[in-house]
Amino acid sequence: GKTHLLEGVWSSARRAHRGMKSIYLSADQFTTHFLESLRGSGLPSFRRKYRGVGLLIVDDLQFFAGKRATQIELLHTIDTLLRQGRQLVFAADRPPVELAELGAELITRLEGGMVCQLYRPDHATRLGIVGKMARRMKIDVPPDVREFVAARLTSHARELSGALCRLQATSEAMARPITLSMAEEALAEMIRHSGRVVRLGDIERAICNVFG
């Protein structure tokens, strides 16, 4: 979900501001480029590249955990871009308050922006995703099978895509059309392992949300 959203933000920004320089990359890529600059290409060129953009988008911030030198470089990059009035968009697998390993200074910068939580897609959204993916893959998935997939697999779009790929492969291997009974058999293992594990943190958040 978050990666698709970031890609959408990046594409939209490039269409709306064709002359603006923008960069979209993952935390791992940022770290790799930073380390390469330390070894060879030099920090000045690295800083010119990332501090001279109108829009910087970084995905999977949680992977900066334990990389202190990279965290400091990112912090200075953020401060430089903010002073210039540039736009920054970040994504992580949990909210800033739960990313203590990134350090207080970086978390403060993140919390200074607009923090949005992405929820799991609801049933109607999942059903729409399944239908769109089926059309893109050019496979005939009956309405009852689309309903079955959307109802039983609730985590994310990649899971739905994997289910359709499995249905397509099973259909071709067995030379059978996709039916509800075939889907129940082919996806039984995926459905069995798709149940979400409820952790203590989930319970704490639910209670805090309800009781304020």
Side-chain angles (χ1 to χ4, degrees):
K2 61 184 176 59
T3 299
H4 288 107
L5 179 60
L6 293 185
E7 289 173 349
V9 170
W10 191 43
S11 298
S12 179
R14 287 189 298 171
R15 285 195 302 270
H17 308 281
R18 295 190 180 276
M20 181 181 68
K21 183 180 179 183
S22 61
I23 294 179
Y24 165 47
L25 77 171
S26 67
D28 185 57
Q29 290 171 318
F30 185 92
T31 302
T32 299
H33 296 167
F34 174 61
L35 295 177
E36 287 174 349
S37 72
L38 291 177
R39 297 191 191 104
S41 58
L43 276 176
S45 61
F46 174 87
R47 287 170 177 165
R48 279 194 301 272
K49 177 178 180 179
Y50 290 102
R51 299 183 188 184
V53 298
L55 170 65
L56 177 64
I57 303 176
V58 184
D59 196 4
D60 291 320
L61 281 188
Q62 69 274 7
F63 289 118
F64 284 125
K67 301 178 175 68
R68 184 57 184 160
T70 311
Q71 290 176 17
I72 293 173
E73 183 63 30
L74 177 65
L75 186 64
H76 290 312
T77 299
I78 291 173
D79 287 343
T80 299
L81 292 174
L82 288 178
R83 282 196 300 269
Q84 297 172 356
R86 308 298 171 83
Q87 184 70 56
L88 302 106
V89 183
F90 300 119
D93 64 353
R94 51 194 184 275
V97 70
E98 295 180 20
L99 293 168
E101 61 271 23
L102 296 186
E105 290 182 314
L106 186 51
I107 291 174
T108 299
R109 303 302 193 282
L110 298 176
E111 290 181 329
M114 183 175 68
V115 179
C116 302
Q117 182 176 353
L118 293 184
Y119 296 93
R120 291 178 178 224
D122 59 22
H123 179 76
T125 303
R126 295 195 305 272
L127 193 58
I129 291 172
V130 171
K132 187 173 182 179
M133 285 182 172
R135 290 191 296 273
R136 186 182 302 162
M137 296 168 66
K138 297 180 179 178
I139 56 176
D140 182 20
V141 183
D144 59 344
V145 176
R146 294 200 299 268
E147 179 71 31
F148 172 76
V149 172
R152 297 301 183 90
L153 300 172
T154 62
S155 294
H156 44 70
R158 291 190 187 95
E159 186 179 53
L160 299 174
S161 176
L164 290 180
C165 287
R166 184 173 295 195
L167 290 178
Q168 182 182 38
T170 303
S171 175
E172 292 175 356
M174 301 178 68
R176 286 172 49 193
I178 297 174
T179 62
L180 180 58
S181 60
M182 187 260 270
E184 290 173 340
E185 183 179 341
L187 302 179
E189 184 181 353
M190 283 187 70
I191 292 170
R192 191 162 54 248
H193 290 92
S194 68
R196 184 183 178 195
V197 177
V198 179
R199 304 184 186 281
L200 181 57
D202 300 319
I203 298 171
E204 289 174 341
R205 279 192 295 275
I207 292 172
C208 290
N209 287 337
V210 169
F211 293 103

